[in-house]
Amino acid sequence: MSNLPLRDGGPKARIAVIPGDGIGKEVTPVAVKCMQSAAAKRQRPLEFVEFDWGADKFLREGVTLPPGAVEMLRNEFDAILFGALGDPRVPSNQHAADILLGLRFKLDLYVNARPTELLHPRYTPLRDVTLDDIRLMVFRENTEGIYVGVGGFFKKDTPDEIAVQEDVNSRKGVERIIRHAFEFARGRKLKRLCMSDKSNAMTFAGDLWQRVFKSVRAEYPEIDSRHLFIDTLAMEIVRDPRQFDVIVTNNLFGDIVSDLAAQLAGGLGLAPSANIHPGRTSLFEPVHGSAPNIAGKGIANPFGAVLTSGLLMEFLGWNEEALALKNAVKSALSDNLTTPDLNGSHTTAQVSDYLIAHLARHS
Ligand code: NAD
Ligand code: IPM
Ligand code: MN
């Protein structure tokens, strides 16, 4: 379900690793070890280079995304494995905006692919659903929308102050994400695609999304495509997730609906994501954040990061390794080898040891 377009990275893959802040530093090393273990069997050459970009560096040196970083990543790496950014000592979130949004925008990673797949029936809060019922892909537009930082303050710090945050939608940007979603559905022979917006209230942006959707869907008559307003989608996805194979939506709605979908399959601790520009250096990160409430306790769930590294390996065309990673997570779930967020009693390190032992036996 999470198959992604391939980059022709050749036989050796170079991966930049940015653990970031909080639990990003705890779960990313687990994902790296699992990738190494999965790759070892068939002697796939992997090279990891770690970068310490995040809150500590920002607070120490005032540096967020260092000069030349984007070009270096684009030219020297096949993919980026990213943990999470966010630290209570940086309330402005400036470093996350510069590094995470900066890389999404500057590498033009317009596809944010966020698959939800129920890997074990114990972990859904819904009644009477089977594994096949919760398997969907959210495609989130990842380079524009309300995230672009267009806006400003007027009369700031006065009783009359105004804050403006613009929602920027280009025809090119809307078309390429909608087309990507249709191509994905066609490639996987998935029948149902839903475009979601708020065109009843956000009339200009919504009108553009509606018109582009109408023209692109005409090229894919074999796909049963429909539109839902985002509020209705949020309700329907919980009422009956069987309706959805592929969802495509804008940046903000995709952020929200992917957390919602993740919870149907066990929560943020299990949710992977890929930020892709097909054929170019792309960035892979779990959906969750830096979780300051549990950071440093050694109990962060590494499954989201490990499944994310599976998406990365699929992106490299290493499908068997990706499957081995997913199977290791499935096995841990079925053996109740989980961290407290999944009602388990194990630590990150114990889960990591289990996964690596499983991969050594099965990869
Ligand atoms: P969060 O995802 O960090 O945490 C939400 C809740 O889920 C918390 O209770 C947390 O403990 C739990 N959780 C998340 N991942 C978990 C895991 N792997 N194992 C166990 N429990 C897990 O979201 P938040 O609290 O809203 O944000 C915290 C910080 O992270 C903020 O600074 C936010 O901006 C940032 N953030 C970053 C990213 C990213 O870098 N991609 C994504 C989301 C949030
Ligand atoms: C995510 C996060 C980010 C986003 C934040 C940290 C800016 O929530 O990756 O889902 O909204 O894109
Ligand atoms: Mn989010």
Side-chain angles (χ1 to χ4, degrees):
M1 182 63 176
S2 50
N3 276 0
L4 299 164
L6 305 183
R7 175 192 164 92
D8 181 13
K12 175 180 171 184
R14 294 197 82 217
I15 320 266
V17 181
I18 308 172
D21 302 333
I23 65 164
K25 289 186 190 159
E26 301 171 43
V27 297
T28 309
V30 181
V32 169
K33 276 192 241 160
C34 287
M35 285 174 83
Q36 282 167 327
S37 181
K41 196 84 164 196
R42 290 199 289 154
Q43 296 178 339
R44 298 279 210 180
L46 273 175
E47 185 184 340
F48 293 96
V49 180
E50 189 169 322
F51 297 92
D52 65 349
W53 306 339
D56 286 341
K57 189 180 179 75
F58 177 55
L59 291 168
R60 211 172 48 236
E61 301 167 24
V63 174
T64 54
L65 194 59
V70 175
E71 296 68 24
M72 185 251 321
L73 291 170
R74 186 188 292 132
N75 298 331
E76 298 175 24
F77 291 91
D78 294 286
I80 304 157
L81 181 66
F82 184 95
L85 287 174
D87 187 302
R89 295 170 299 165
V90 188
S92 68
N93 217 23
Q94 183 61 44
H95 68 305
D98 288 0
I99 300 169
L100 179 58
L101 301 185
L103 290 176
R104 288 178 185 167
F105 294 166
K106 291 177 181 160
L107 292 170
D108 199 27
L109 306 174
Y110 65 92
V111 179
N112 192 333
R114 297 189 154 187
T116 293
E117 188 179 348
L118 182 60
L119 297 178
H120 190 286
R122 195 185 300 127
Y123 299 101
T124 181
L126 301 183
R127 261 179 323 198
D128 304 329
V129 290
T130 65
L131 294 189
D132 284 340
D133 294 339
I134 303 180
R135 187 169 291 131
L136 60 91
M137 174 67 97
V138 173
F139 284 116
R140 164 187 182 189
E141 201 296 318
N142 211 30
T143 51
E144 33 186 73
I146 211 152
Y147 276 70
V148 293
V150 173
F153 294 106
F154 181 50
K155 299 185 182 172
K156 191 172 179 197
D157 293 328
T158 75
D160 298 323
E161 82 173 314
I162 291 171
V164 175
Q165 195 91 44
E166 295 290 354
D167 180 22
V168 173
N169 296 261
S170 70
R171 171 173 275 277
K172 177 180 139 190
V174 175
E175 180 165 346
R176 65 185 182 173
I177 190 66
I178 291 181
R179 188 172 292 287
H180 186 89
F182 273 104
E183 282 296 316
F184 177 87
R186 176 174 277 175
R188 298 290 123 76
K189 300 199 179 340
L190 298 170
K191 283 283 160 254
R192 290 160 306 185
L193 182 148
C194 176
M195 188 281 274
S196 189
D197 65 16
K198 190 67 191 169
S199 49
N200 48 354
M202 298 163 74
T203 50
F204 305 116
D207 190 73
L208 178 61
W209 277 79
Q210 289 288 335
R211 280 182 287 119
V212 172
F213 179 55
K214 193 172 170 203
S215 80
V216 175
R217 76 192 293 200
E219 297 173 37
Y220 300 85
E222 81 279 16
I223 294 169
D224 173 14
S225 59
R226 67 166 165 159
H227 166 261
L228 286 176
F229 295 121
I230 189 68
D231 45 352
T232 303
L233 172 66
M235 176 273 288
E236 288 291 343
I237 218 173
V238 174
R239 187 181 69 79
D240 183 10
R242 297 169 195 83
Q243 302 171 71
F244 302 101
D245 293 329
V246 178
I247 291 167
V248 59
T249 189
N250 74 16
N251 207 337
L252 179 63
F253 298 153
D255 178 45
I256 297 166
V257 91
S258 56
D259 272 29
L260 175 68
Q263 192 57 52
L264 302 184
L268 281 178
L270 271 160
S273 92
N275 301 259
I276 293 171
H277 187 120
R280 293 203 210 158
T281 304
S282 295
L283 185 153
F284 299 79
E285 55 168 342
V287 174
H288 66 73
S290 55
N293 58 340
I294 59 160
K297 295 184 176 162
I299 54 166
N301 183 348
F303 293 153
V306 172
L307 294 168
T308 293
S309 67
L311 297 184
L312 192 159
M313 293 189 109
E314 266 182 52
F315 177 76
L316 298 172
W318 300 2
N319 292 328
E320 286 176 35
E321 285 80 1
L323 189 62
L325 291 168
K326 192 188 279 187
N327 284 338
V329 172
K330 274 189 187 169
S331 172
L333 290 171
S334 111
D335 284 355
N336 268 318
L337 213 298
T338 58
T339 44
D341 57 302
L342 294 177
N343 294 323
S345 55
H346 293 85
T347 63
T348 311
Q350 288 169 328
V351 174
S352 172
D353 289 345
Y354 177 99
L355 294 172
I356 288 158
H358 187 279
L359 286 161
R361 287 198 305 277
H362 295 93
S363 286

